[in-house]
Amino acid sequence: MTGIDSNESPAALRADAARYDEIADGLEDLLAELRDEEIKDSRLEGLFDEVSSSDPNIWNIVSAFIDVEDGEAVITDESKLARGSWAPEIIEGCDTLITLDIEYGMMPDEFKYTAGKKLTQRIEEFREQAADARERADELESCTDE
């Protein structure tokens, strides 16, 4: 059983669940685009460019910051991080991010597979959060009905 925070209301939890589902839906559209379109024509072109062409002697990872606006996933920024100096960045309005290791010369099919795996993981996490929020809302409602 999930612990219930006394400050949570069923309505707020259901709103959270709806937002998590909206983010997951936007990420699913981005994933479908990644699988069906050429990378050059996709919203993840910038991430591919950074992952496949950055000098791995200087950079080790790159992140794509994603905001879901009106159900559409928008890449707000790509950011490289240097070896040994991980410091998470905070981008205002960022709903999620995916992070990939720099691999100079990465082929498009490998990028699609790797980025697709990361997107699928984030989608599953948001679906879980939505289900948990709905479950907590149901628990709160059943407690008030008794």
Side-chain angles (χ1 to χ4, degrees):
M1 182 169 181
T2 308
I4 298 173
D5 181 348
S6 61
N7 294 327
E8 295 176 326
S9 73
L13 289 166
R14 293 196 191 288
D16 290 346
R19 180 64 181 148
Y20 297 143
D21 281 333
E22 179 185 23
I23 294 168
D25 290 345
L27 294 177
E28 284 176 345
D29 288 343
L30 185 61
L31 178 61
E33 177 183 311
L34 176 67
R35 290 181 177 152
D36 298 341
E37 303 293 327
E38 294 292 322
I39 293 174
K40 181 176 146 185
D41 299 327
S42 79
R43 291 173 273 178
L44 291 169
E45 178 182 9
L47 180 62
F48 173 71
D49 290 344
E50 294 289 354
V51 165
S52 64
S53 65
S54 296
D55 183 347
N57 294 317
I58 300 171
W59 308 103
N60 63 340
I61 62 173
V62 63
S63 296
F65 296 90
I66 304 169
D67 183 27
V68 177
E69 301 170 358
D70 300 323
E72 183 176 343
V74 177
I75 309 301
T76 59
D77 195 11
E78 290 97 14
S79 177
K80 294 184 286 194
L81 295 172
R83 236 176 242 298
S85 33
W86 171 253
E89 294 181 46
I90 299 172
I91 302 290
E92 190 172 321
C94 174
D95 292 314
T96 191
L97 60 91
I98 60 170
T99 300
L100 301 173
D101 292 331
I102 300 283
E103 190 174 316
Y104 186 80
M106 178 184 274
M107 300 306 293
D109 285 345
E110 185 179 353
F111 173 79
K112 285 184 173 196
Y113 173 77
T114 305
K117 239 171 91 169
K118 296 283 185 160
L119 283 169
T120 299
Q121 179 183 14
R122 295 301 296 142
I123 291 164
E124 290 169 0
E125 289 168 0
F126 279 106
R127 294 288 184 214
E128 259 180 49
Q129 288 177 307
D132 289 347
R134 280 190 291 278
E135 183 180 328
R136 288 195 320 267
D138 290 346
E139 289 172 0
L140 275 175
E141 287 173 343
S142 70
C143 287
T144 58
D145 290 344
E146 293 174 359

